[in-house]
Amino acid sequence: YFLLRALLHTVTSFSGTLVSVVAFVFVIILFSPIRERIQELVDRSVYPDRFASRRRLREFARNLPKLSDEQEIIRASLLNVARSLGVERGAYFQGTDPSQPASFTWGMRPGQADPLRLGSNLRSPVLHRAEPLLREEVEAELPYGYLPEEEAATLASLDAAVLVPVTTGHRSFGIAVFGGRIDGESYGAGDLEVLDSLATQTALAMENVQFQRELKEKEAIERELIVAQTLQRRLLPQSSPSVPGVELTAATLPCQEVGGDYYDYLLSENGRVFIAVGDVSGKGIPAAILMANVQALFRAEAREVAEPDQILAQMNRRLCEIERPDRFVSFFCAAFEPERGELRYSSAGHPPPLLVRADGTLHRLDAAALLLGIEREIRYPMGVVRLQPGDLVLCYTDGIADPMANGSCLREDELEEIARAHRHLPAERLLDRLLERLRQGPALDDDTTLLILKTI
């Protein structure tokens, strides 16, 4: 500074005051980048113990991410701080619930730590300020200076000197309370800075551990869902039976990885073709599990019972035995005899399929009764229609024509219009037209299934 001031005097005509100011500013600019290094050299020379403690804390902070458990992280962190700063006793209060006792303590005699609770009077200012606060600062913010007896006893038991929030700024994990130091020194600004820095790094390490655990759980769930989706697809028919004079095709679009929609077709020994479409209430894995049960029931009953109404009655009794009041099933079942062209059908609360005649005339197959799984003894009506060449039956679930959906499905009048306009197409191509229209809209709000039976 003096050399620079002397130099400026000789080469400029500035006044003495201005020269002094310029020299002073220049020195500040020059030494600011190496200030921390200079401070470190001073600390190492004048305060070797303090320098060694802070160095150990910095090294510990760098190793925090290697720990894999939140409790291990917070314990190791606080105990390292206590050891480095010479803190005789302390406690950690996990979470933000003021009724919860201390998660762990150190330096306390048996019985001295019971009970220790940090009430809302002490928590609020610490969490609000989100920085280490001396005990006097916390007490200064108490309303009317009042502190409940239990909280005052906690501070007294811990000989509390400073309260430190363990927080990332948007998430609070808890509050650490540090008692007085063994050497009797008070906490200085440098100590509070160390506590603040380490508490933040501790919170970040804990948050990272939680994030990694949640990520692994999510990945495990996704893997399980992929397996469940594959299994569910394999439960559905992989191909339609080959029946002279009949075209069969179907598709299902779950709105989640797995769903509760179901379709099936079976060819009996006497040449009858059974078709079925079902919809379990709800979505996701619970609906998919019940759907698998429904499929097993249908296939078992279709081999034992001849008529659709009897199949539904038997399935209903079995589902009522499951006693799941929050899970019901809408179901449509039909048996078609190709030689006679006769379709016999029954429905359990399912949307009535469309019967589109070759001439464009449209009918509803609406013989129906209550959903499966609600009431044990139900008699299901049976309808009978005769199909001529070119007629088609279009079955669907309520993912289509659902008045509660947000524009993601076909309206009933639009479904009828497409079916009537393209009735001359093969069943596969008609199904493609319907699926193409569905995919043009927003994401599906519900599982959606289509099944087409067409006579040729």
Side-chain angles (χ1 to χ4, degrees), residues 360-379:
T361 307
L362 190 144
H363 305 278
R364 292 276 182 176
L365 305 184
D366 54 6
L370 201 61
L371 296 167
L372 301 178
I374 295 180
E375 187 176 331
R376 181 180 174 82
E377 297 301 328
I378 295 288
R379 296 187 63 180

Side-chain angles (χ1 to χ4, degrees), residues 229-379:
Q229 186 182 47
T230 303
L231 290 174
Q232 187 176 45
R233 285 176 177 172
R234 291 177 179 174
L235 288 175
L236 298 174
Q238 302 301 301
S239 62
S240 58
S242 178
V243 181
V246 177
E247 293 180 346
L248 280 170
T249 187
T252 186
L253 302 174
C255 67
Q256 299 179 9
E257 286 80 358
V258 292
D261 274 14
Y262 162 68
Y263 71 87
D264 211 344
Y265 19 67
L266 295 172
L267 183 61
S268 67
E269 295 180 356
N270 59 9
R272 300 176 85 191
V273 180
F274 284 93
I275 62 172
V277 177
D279 183 6
V280 175
S281 61
K283 306 178 184 69
I285 292 178
I289 292 173
L290 186 54
M291 184 277 282
N293 286 328
V294 169
Q295 181 198 41
L297 287 175
F298 168 71
R299 294 201 164 197
E301 298 302 334
R303 291 185 175 92
E304 297 292 333
V305 183
E307 300 298 344
D309 58 333
Q310 298 173 12
I311 292 174
L312 292 186
Q314 286 291 94
M315 290 176 64
N316 179 60
R317 293 190 190 98
R318 297 289 181 86
L319 288 174
C320 285
E321 293 173 359
I322 298 177
E323 296 182 354
R324 287 294 306 273
D326 58 334
R327 289 282 183 268
F328 308 117
V329 183
S330 71
F331 203 87
F332 174 82
C333 174
F336 180 60
E337 297 184 14
E339 292 185 0
R340 300 172 57 188
E342 185 177 81
L343 183 78
R344 303 165 73 82
Y345 72 92
S346 187
S347 175
H350 199 77
L354 299 177
L355 169 58
V356 184
R357 297 292 186 181
D359 61 3
T361 307
L362 190 144
H363 305 278
R364 292 276 182 176
L365 305 184
D366 54 6
L370 201 61
L371 296 167
L372 301 178
I374 295 180
E375 187 176 331
R376 181 180 174 82
E377 297 301 328
I378 295 288
R379 296 187 63 180

Side-chain angles (χ1 to χ4, degrees), residues 51-70:
F51 172 78
S53 297
R54 293 186 178 179
R55 184 186 60 191
R56 286 194 298 270
L57 287 176
R58 284 196 296 269
E59 291 174 353
F60 170 74
R62 285 194 292 268
N63 292 323
L64 268 177
K66 298 179 182 179
L67 302 179
S68 59
D69 179 77
E70 296 100 311

